[in-house]
Amino acid sequence: DGAVIVSGNKIVAAGCILPLTEKTNLPSRFGLRHRAALGISEKANALAIVVSEETGEISVVRNDHFQNKVSLDELKLALKDD
């Protein structure tokens, strides 16, 4: 696994390793990709999008705020706001 970094409409890097959050009070269902999304949102001005391998659910992380079960319309809005 690795992250893809997008700037504007271009993929600028792929297979990237992101910093993990140091928070310890996260739900047990959060795996490494969720922890990395939180980590990058804590360290950079970034919108992180997480897709669960198990459920296909989309989550969005911005400014250390995690939003679960994001609909496609909500995702489009988040991307426009970025």
Side-chain angles (χ1 to χ4, degrees):
D1 263 4
V4 173
I5 298 175
V6 178
S7 180
N9 289 329
K10 290 187 176 185
I11 295 174
V12 295
C16 301
I17 305 300
L18 302 178
L20 300 179
T21 185
E22 294 183 22
K23 292 182 178 183
T24 58
N25 60 340
L26 299 175
S28 60
R29 63 182 162 71
F30 279 20
L32 281 178
R33 105 179 27 168
H34 294 87
R35 293 169 191 276
L38 278 168
I40 195 64
S41 79
E42 294 166 352
K43 298 196 184 284
N45 180 19
L47 170 70
I49 301 167
V50 181
V51 180
S52 171
E53 273 183 301
E54 295 175 8
T55 65
E57 290 177 353
I58 300 169
S59 301
V60 175
V61 186
R62 177 185 282 140
N63 299 330
D64 198 25
H65 176 73
F66 207 95
Q67 185 179 357
N68 286 315
K69 297 183 180 180
V70 174
S71 70
L72 289 178
D73 288 335
E74 291 170 320
L75 177 59
K76 287 177 187 177
L77 282 174
L79 289 169
K80 285 182 182 178
D81 289 344
D82 196 45

